[in-house]
Amino acid sequence: MSTTTVPEPHVLAVDDSIVDRAVISRLLRSSKYRVTTVDSGKRALEILSLDRNVHMIITDYCMPEMTGFDLLKRVKESAELKEIPVVLMSSENSPTRIRRCLEEGAEDFLIKPVRPSDVSRLCSRVMK
Amino acid sequence: MAESKLSPLQWWTEELFLEEEYRDTAAVVSSAGHHRRLSLSPRVVKEKAASMKKNLFDQASILSSGVSFVPTVYAQDVFYFPFICSSLTKCVLIQQGYLDEQFCQVEDLQDEASPNFVEEVVTLFFKDSGRLMSNIEQALEKYPRDFNRWDAYMQQLKGSCSSIGASRMKNECMSFRDSCGQGNVEGCMRSFQKVKREHAILRQKLESYFQLLRQAGPAGAATRPVM
């Protein structure tokens, strides 16, 4: 009888802060996710064009050049990528910003610093 | 073997101070005239350290009220001094506001696969924050009254502080941003000096903390109690 090994879900984490990338990466890995981290929206799109096996994108909102909101829009406008859940993170608790992201199709909006409980809640809900 | 009481350690609330003869645990054991070969399994070390830590955290609650206390320690517990010191150091750093609960959350992410995670992240933080502060310093000089630019840089620094639980430094970053919002150049300059000062103090305190953790060895990996 053959057994099939279920691969770990793959999360793409996008943040221009090296500290935040380290923390979010560790948070996700401790929840048994495979994680790829990049430092910009542009780089995220490059990864997505090469690897379609991404189960969730978690991105900082405030980034230079391409914000997390811009990245969200690009993903949701793409026929190939639009089904990938996108989660935004920000240290600013701005209701306007949160509403705007959710209306654009974000799955969730986390306030930094992100906690293990945020990741657990998020992953069990979004990754179903 | 009968237990032998060592001379007491004296603790101050402002900073942990060890009378010099106790800083080197090996020296204490030999000076007390007791040689006890410690061949404990890692599990036993961890359990023992956890119970010691619990007892000292009970005593450490006295620290927060500003009353110094004098714990007495026994010869066989000398082995745990570095661990005790590191635990209390963190306790004091949190009580004094240098760190907040986020630091503990980051520590909790450590496991066998990433045993030095928090030190790695803190190292990243000081490297990155040095760069960000340098950017801010240049911006203050090259772009006078460009509050939007100043604020954008400081927002990045504040975010990093928040991520590792650098509470006092984060608060000074927020003061700077408030001054930007008010168009207050002098306020920005004053706040930035405070940010730099808090950065330097925190670096020094965390370096001491990690040095103690390294000395603590396996005992330093014990689960922290709920505070």
Side-chain angles (χ1 to χ4, degrees):
Chain A
M1 184 167 66
S2 65
T3 53
T4 309
T5 312
V6 178
E8 292 168 323
H10 182 201
V11 180
L12 178 61
V14 191
D15 202 314
D16 61 321
S17 162
I18 191 171
V19 173
D20 287 354
R21 282 202 303 278
V23 173
I24 193 68
S25 170
R26 185 80 201 103
L27 270 171
L28 289 165
R29 287 194 172 113
S30 67
S31 297
K32 310 291 181 212
Y33 298 100
R34 182 165 68 93
V35 186
T36 300
T37 57
V38 292
D39 62 0
S40 68
K42 181 181 167 192
R43 187 80 186 102
L45 290 171
E46 286 171 10
I47 296 287
L48 288 165
S49 70
L50 297 169
D51 184 356
R52 294 293 159 79
N53 190 27
V54 171
H55 298 93
M56 184 172 77
I57 300 166
I58 182 162
T59 177
D60 188 28
Y61 184 96
C62 287
M63 294 187 292
E65 293 176 17
M66 183 186 286
T67 66
F69 182 74
D70 296 333
L71 175 60
L72 167 68
K73 280 175 61 175
R74 292 284 291 270
V75 168
K76 294 304 168 187
E77 285 165 3
S78 161
E80 292 89 9
L81 304 175
K82 65 181 179 181
E83 296 304 322
I84 302 175
V86 181
V87 175
L88 280 291
M89 305 180 283
S90 177
S91 56
E92 308 283 332
N93 189 353
S94 160
T96 309
R97 179 181 289 183
I98 295 170
R99 190 172 52 246
R100 196 165 154 239
C101 289
L102 294 176
E103 284 171 359
E104 198 60 37
E107 287 297 327
D108 208 333
F109 195 108
L110 304 178
I111 303 300
K112 286 181 170 181
V114 176
R115 290 173 178 79
S117 55
D118 292 329
V119 171
S120 304
R121 178 180 57 81
L122 178 71
C123 291
S124 62
R125 184 166 64 83
V126 172
M127 300 289 248
K128 278 179 190 172
Chain B
M1 181 191 285
E3 287 180 351
S4 165
K5 220 175 189 180
L6 293 176
S7 301
L9 298 170
Q10 198 78 21
W11 300 88
W12 280 265
T13 52
E14 281 306 304
E15 67 177 29
L16 289 175
F17 173 78
L18 289 177
E19 291 174 17
E20 202 153 0
E21 64 188 274
Y22 298 121
R23 282 185 189 154
D24 183 343
T25 57
V28 176
V29 171
S30 61
S31 70
H34 296 283
H35 293 277
R36 190 176 177 90
R37 202 164 152 265
L38 292 166
S39 53
L40 304 172
S41 71
R43 182 186 62 81
V44 172
V45 168
K46 216 168 165 173
E47 283 170 3
K48 176 68 175 175
S51 74
M52 283 292 293
K53 187 165 65 169
K54 184 178 184 311
N55 292 338
L56 281 167
F57 269 119
D58 291 339
Q59 295 182 51
S61 65
I62 300 170
L63 274 176
S64 64
S65 66
V67 176
S68 62
F69 74 102
V70 179
T72 53
V73 191
Y74 298 94
Q76 68 270 26
D77 295 327
V78 157
F79 176 75
Y80 303 103
F81 275 6
F83 176 73
I84 293 163
C85 293
S86 68
S87 299
L88 278 173
T89 297
K90 184 174 72 174
C91 186
V92 171
L93 287 175
I94 290 172
Q95 285 169 344
Q96 290 179 336
Y98 289 104
L99 298 174
D100 61 29
E101 176 61 22
Q102 177 63 16
F103 185 83
C104 301
Q105 299 265 356
V106 175
E107 272 201 323
D108 282 348
L109 294 175
Q110 286 190 156
D111 59 16
E112 290 83 13
S114 299
N116 303 312
F117 176 70
V118 71
E119 190 172 359
E120 289 165 5
V121 169
V122 167
T123 303
L124 276 177
F125 168 76
F126 280 112
K127 190 175 167 185
D128 195 49
S129 57
R131 178 186 64 84
L132 290 170
M133 292 196 312
S134 176
N135 289 347
I136 294 167
E137 196 137 40
Q138 286 176 28
L140 289 172
E141 199 178 328
K142 281 187 188 169
Y143 304 102
R145 301 191 68 85
D146 191 344
F147 296 108
N148 286 340
R149 185 188 297 268
W150 297 357
D151 182 72
Y153 280 133
M154 190 55 82
Q155 185 184 10
Q156 291 180 24
L157 182 58
K158 183 205 134 198
S160 280
C161 293
S162 185
S163 293
I164 69 151
S167 183
R168 273 199 186 183
M169 201 176 149
K170 182 184 78 175
N171 290 341
E172 295 302 342
C173 292
M174 286 164 65
S175 292
F176 181 97
R177 295 189 73 199
D178 287 342
S179 294
C180 285
Q182 293 157 13
N184 180 354
V185 173
E186 217 174 279
C188 287
M189 298 300 180
R190 262 198 314 271
S191 293
F192 185 58
Q193 293 309 312
K194 288 182 183 175
V195 168
K196 289 202 289 187
R197 184 169 156 266
E198 290 299 335
H199 183 264
I201 293 171
L202 184 65
R203 183 199 285 269
Q204 188 185 39
K205 289 191 180 286
L206 285 177
E207 274 172 4
S208 301
Y209 172 65
F210 287 122
Q211 192 174 14
L212 286 168
L213 271 185
R214 280 191 285 274
Q215 288 172 7
T223 310
R224 71 180 176 97
V226 174
M227 293 180 66

